[in-house]
């Protein structure tokens, strides 16, 4: 439903589309799906965000960058709220975001969490190499350069790469 | 003020913080680079969980104060004051997580025992009456799944590995065997949380037995359970962790990056 509040929130969404993830700068916070809601209430901009990973050290910085971007665009009365529920999932990442990740050299998360269970030595997901596009790849480590990524290597082009793991 | 809920939230916060601190001692010392990164990534996840619990505990503690009139911001509890300015007897973490690192095998076994416990506990907390605890647990379960998988694989790899690695796992089992019983002994503040400890124990034993079998390791026979961590009676090791962790804030109160 289009209401007065929605209309005035529209420019805020456009500003938020310019705020990027400090650790993966090709992705905006909208690509990541961490902005859950924007409202204008009595002249106050209210932005609701959700963290990607529990221990993601970028969250405090993202929250500050949202505030700075809004201040630069003339907003002064700003309230940013962090909510944990419903929990963020890689399924909320936009298609455009996944393409940007791949072009950046990071394999985007698989669409379905096929093997995200605690069982040991399970069959690994087929992850496409973001460089040569081969599916003949192997996992080096479940834990990579940041909390959200695993480390893989391509068996064809031999290039090591990060995989944004399903969550 | 719901003192049981505050104490329980602090118990969850302290346990995850102290294990994170222990694991982070491996930073730069892991057996190979990928596993050094893995154990410190797990630390980061645990610190994230502890921050969520401390922030919630601080909000609960401040609730009756903020309803009142003007007050001094320095009197309010924060995630930092709860982590850095409480004493040993106030910490409510499990005894298991404060045990000092011996070798990689013992670190792996401690993480495995804890992650399996956390997996089944948080599955129950997901449906807890308290919405915020349920939300934190639901979110954390995603990373706990990875922790259980990683630590199980390492228990199997080391147990069913070389004579040396097998021997070290036997020593680790002996070292830690008295510290897992505390998981299932309810502290006073845990009783109103509605946790089914019998179910938790059954699930934990099933999973750990299955992994031990695959790892060709003997399942430890229970003789005696150390307990008291949940209510602030700790082993001698906690004081040293706090001394190191809290030194800066104690010496330079309010110091910031």
């Amino acid at each position: 439903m289009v209401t007065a509040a929605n209309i005035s929130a529209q420019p805020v969404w456009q500003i938020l589309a310019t705020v990027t993830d400090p650790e993966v700068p090709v992705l905006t916070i909208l690509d990541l799906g961490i902005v859950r809601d924007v409202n204008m209430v009595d002249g106050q901009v209210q932005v609701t965000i959700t963290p990607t990973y529990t221990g993601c050290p970028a969250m405090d910085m993202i929250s500050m960058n949202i505030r700075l971007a809004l201040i630069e665009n003339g907003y002064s009365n700003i309230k940013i709220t962090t909510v944990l529920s419903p929990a963020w999932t890689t399924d909320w990442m936009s298609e455009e975001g996944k393409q940007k990740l791949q072009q950046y050299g990071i394999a985007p998360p698989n669409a379905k969490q096929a093997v995200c269970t605690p069982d040991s030595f399970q069959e690994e997901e087929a992850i496409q190499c973001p460089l040569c596009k081969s599916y003949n790849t192997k996992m080096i480590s479940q834990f990579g350069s940041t909390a959200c990524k695993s480390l893989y290597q391509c068996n064809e082009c031999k290039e090591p790469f990060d995989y944004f793991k399903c969550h | 003020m719901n003192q049981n809920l505050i104490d329980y939230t602090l118990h969850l916060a302290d346990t995850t913080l102290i294990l994170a601190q222990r694991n982070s001692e491996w930073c730069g010392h892991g057996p190979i680079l990928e596993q050094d990164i893995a154990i410190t990534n797990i630390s980061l996840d645990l610190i994230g969980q502890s921050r969520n619990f401390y922030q919630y505990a601080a909000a609960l503690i401040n609730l009756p104060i903020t309803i009142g009139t003007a007050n001094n911001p320095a009197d309010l509890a924060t995630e930092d004051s709860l982590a850095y300015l409480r004493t040993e007897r106030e910490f409510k973490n499990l005894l298991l997580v404060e045990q000092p690192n011996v070798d990689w095998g013992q670190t792996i076994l401690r993480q495995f025992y804890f992650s399996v416990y956390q997996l089944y506990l948080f599955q129950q907390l997901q449906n807890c009456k308290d919405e915020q605890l349920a939300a934190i647990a639901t979110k954390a379960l995603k990373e706990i799944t990875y922790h259980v998988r990683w630590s199980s694989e390492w228990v199997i790899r080391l147990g069913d590995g070389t004579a040396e690695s097998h021997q070290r796992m036997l020593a680790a089992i002996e070292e830690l065997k008295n510290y897992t019983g505390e998981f299932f002994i309810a502290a006073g503040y845990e009783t109103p949380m509605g946790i089914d400890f019998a179910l938790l124990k059954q699930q934990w034993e099933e999973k750990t037995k299955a992994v031990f079998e695959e790892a060709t390791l003997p399942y430890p026979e229970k003789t005696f359970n150390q307990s008291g961590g949940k209510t602030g009676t700790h082993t001698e090791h906690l004081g040293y962790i706090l001394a190191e962790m809290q030194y800066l804030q104690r010496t330079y109160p309010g110091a910031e990056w």
Side-chain angles (χ1 to χ4, degrees):
Chain A
M1 188 176 70
V2 178
T3 65
N6 283 340
I7 290 166
S8 50
Q10 204 50 44
V12 175
W13 283 101
Q14 283 162 10
I15 296 164
L16 294 177
T18 66
V19 179
T20 55
D21 181 324
E23 298 210 43
V24 190
V26 286
L27 292 185
T28 73
I29 55 173
L30 298 189
D31 290 331
L32 273 167
I34 64 174
V35 178
R36 303 317 298 157
D37 204 10
V38 176
N39 281 301
M40 297 292 293
V41 181
D42 299 332
Q44 185 181 50
V45 193
Q46 297 179 346
V47 181
T48 307
I49 56 175
T50 193
T52 51
Y53 282 70
T54 301
C56 180
M59 276 317 285
D60 291 340
M61 196 168 173
I62 288 173
S63 175
M64 191 178 73
N65 288 347
I66 291 173
R67 189 173 291 277
L68 289 176
L70 289 170
I71 289 170
E72 269 175 28
N73 286 276
Y75 293 92
S76 54
N77 191 356
I78 303 156
K79 187 180 173 198
I80 300 168
T81 311
T82 304
V83 294
L84 295 175
S85 183
W88 182 83
T89 155
T90 39
D91 289 343
W92 292 354
M93 191 185 286
S94 68
E95 273 313 308
E96 199 190 335
K98 288 180 183 175
Q99 282 170 13
K100 284 192 217 167
L101 263 185
Q102 197 183 46
Q103 283 159 14
Y104 189 62
I106 297 172
N110 277 350
K112 269 276 165 242
Q113 296 186 213
V115 286
C116 215
T117 70
D119 299 331
S120 42
F121 299 115
Q122 49 187 282
E123 200 180 327
E124 297 301 340
E125 289 170 284
I127 307 300
Q128 190 181 22
C129 170
L131 301 152
C132 75
K133 310 289 185 284
S134 166
Y135 277 96
N136 182 12
T137 61
K138 63 167 187 254
M139 189 179 75
I140 305 284
S141 173
Q142 264 170 40
F143 298 91
S145 58
T146 64
C148 53
K149 297 191 229 94
S150 299
L151 191 59
Y152 274 73
Q153 186 176 17
C154 178
N155 292 326
E156 298 293 334
C157 73
K158 308 294 180 201
E159 194 68 20
F161 64 91
D162 273 335
Y163 165 56
F164 203 113
K165 62 191 175 195
C166 72
H167 202 65
Chain B
M1 185 156 57
N2 185 340
Q3 193 57 46
N4 284 325
L5 181 59
I6 292 172
D7 286 346
Y8 187 60
T9 307
L10 285 172
H11 156 66
L12 296 169
D14 293 340
T15 297
T16 42
L17 178 70
I18 298 301
L19 185 56
Q21 182 75 9
R22 271 288 181 240
N23 284 346
S24 73
E25 290 171 20
W26 278 100
C27 188
H29 301 277
I32 52 169
L33 182 63
E34 285 77 10
Q35 301 314 323
D36 189 301
I37 292 171
I39 193 80
T40 44
N41 257 282
I42 291 172
S43 268
L44 188 61
D45 289 340
L46 292 169
I47 288 173
Q49 292 168 20
S50 75
R51 285 192 63 190
N52 283 339
F53 289 127
Y54 281 129
Q55 285 168 4
Y56 184 45
L60 291 170
I61 292 166
N62 294 335
L63 205 54
I65 306 169
T66 42
I67 288 168
T69 48
N71 50 64
N72 183 354
D75 297 336
L76 294 176
T78 66
E79 53 175 323
D80 286 337
S81 73
L82 293 173
Y84 293 125
L85 302 175
R86 280 156 65 242
T87 60
E88 266 168 282
R89 293 302 295 262
E90 292 170 289
F91 266 72
K92 296 171 176 53
N93 59 280
L94 295 166
L95 297 176
L96 177 80
V97 300
E98 69 198 37
Q99 298 311 305
N101 299 342
V102 176
D103 58 12
W104 183 247
Q106 181 254 15
T107 296
I108 290 295
L109 187 64
R110 185 181 55 205
Q111 187 62 49
F112 170 67
Y113 281 158
F114 179 73
S115 292
V116 175
Y117 158 76
Q118 222 191 2
L119 175 73
Y120 296 120
L121 175 65
F122 280 31
Q123 280 177 0
Q124 291 195 31
L125 282 183
Q126 269 188 301
N127 307 314
C128 153
K129 288 181 301 220
D130 188 86
E131 282 180 15
Q132 186 65 7
L133 283 189
I136 297 171
T138 305
K139 183 134 193 71
L141 271 171
K142 297 191 176 208
E143 59 240 15
I144 293 166
T145 304
Y146 284 105
H147 302 172
V148 171
R149 194 170 145 192
W150 177 84
S151 58
S152 308
E153 289 176 0
W154 268 99
V155 168
I156 295 165
R157 220 175 258 134
L158 295 174
D160 193 18
T162 64
E164 169 80 16
S165 70
H166 185 82
Q167 199 54 43
R168 281 176 182 251
M169 289 309 283
L170 293 180
I173 291 169
E174 196 53 31
E175 190 91 30
L176 299 177
K177 70 173 185 188
N178 293 337
Y179 296 109
T180 56
E182 194 190 9
F183 293 166
F184 316 110
I185 303 170
Y189 55 78
E190 278 179 298
T191 314
M193 296 299 138
I195 297 153
D196 184 342
F197 282 94
L199 174 69
L200 184 59
K201 187 165 191 264
Q202 184 203 332
Q203 290 173 318
W204 184 83
E205 285 181 349
E206 264 174 34
K207 175 73 181 172
T208 50
K209 272 181 186 158
V211 170
F212 269 48
E213 201 174 319
E214 208 176 334
T216 69
L217 291 168
Y219 201 70
E221 272 175 46
K222 274 273 164 282
T223 47
F224 174 70
N225 291 320
Q226 294 279 8
S227 64
K230 288 178 176 180
T231 47
T233 312
H234 292 278
T235 59
E236 66 272 31
H237 310 294
L238 183 66
Y240 292 94
I241 303 181
L242 296 187
E244 189 174 355
M245 197 178 74
Q246 298 183 335
Y247 167 81
L248 197 114
Q249 278 304 320
R250 299 272 191 194
T251 313
Y252 305 101
E256 286 181 35
W257 283 102

